[in-house]
């Protein structure tokens, strides 16, 4: 049978191990969130770039005239 001192020591060691485990979990969560955020930003940038490339076929909106012009200034119908 363990003495009270030994039981307290065991509980203390168990708490320390739990705290270390929780800290490691927090570190991993932060790393995963940073990586996920970076991937999200890269994906958003890629999608926006592709969208811009798809619409930048040389057409320019003329607000003064209310229609599109090609890159040479001719009206697109």
């Amino acid at each position: 049978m363990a003495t009270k001192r030994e039981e307290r020591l065991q509980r203390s060691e168990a708490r320390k191990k739990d705290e270390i485990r929780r800290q490691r979990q927090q570190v991993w969560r932060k790393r995963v969130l940073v990586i996920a955020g970076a991937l999200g930003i890269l994906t958003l940038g890629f999608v926006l770039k592709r969208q811009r490339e798809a619409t930048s076929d040389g057409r320019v909106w003329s607000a003064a005239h209310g229609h599109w012009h090609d890159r040479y200034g001719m009206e697109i119908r």
Side-chain angles (χ1 to χ4, degrees):
M1 185 176 218
T3 65
K4 286 188 176 186
R5 175 181 260 172
E6 290 170 343
E7 289 175 2
R8 283 194 304 261
L9 182 62
Q10 288 173 352
R11 283 194 305 266
S12 175
E13 289 176 5
R15 275 189 237 118
K16 286 178 186 177
K17 287 180 182 179
D18 284 344
E19 182 62 28
I20 290 170
R21 183 181 50 80
R22 271 189 251 120
Q23 287 175 349
R24 286 182 181 160
Q25 285 177 340
Q26 287 177 347
V27 167
W28 277 105
R29 280 188 202 126
K30 288 177 184 177
R31 287 179 183 170
V32 167
L33 287 174
V34 167
I35 291 170
L39 287 175
I41 290 171
L42 288 173
T43 302
L44 182 63
F46 179 76
V47 167
L48 291 175
K49 183 178 183 227
R50 296 283 294 193
Q51 186 180 23
R52 193 173 350 151
E53 288 175 355
T55 59
S56 67
D57 57 356
R59 298 184 315 160
V60 178
W61 177 254
S62 174
H65 300 138
H67 57 256
W68 291 95
H69 287 222
D70 65 8
R71 65 178 60 156
Y72 305 109
M74 301 299 294
E75 179 183 350
I76 298 175
R77 294 184 185 248

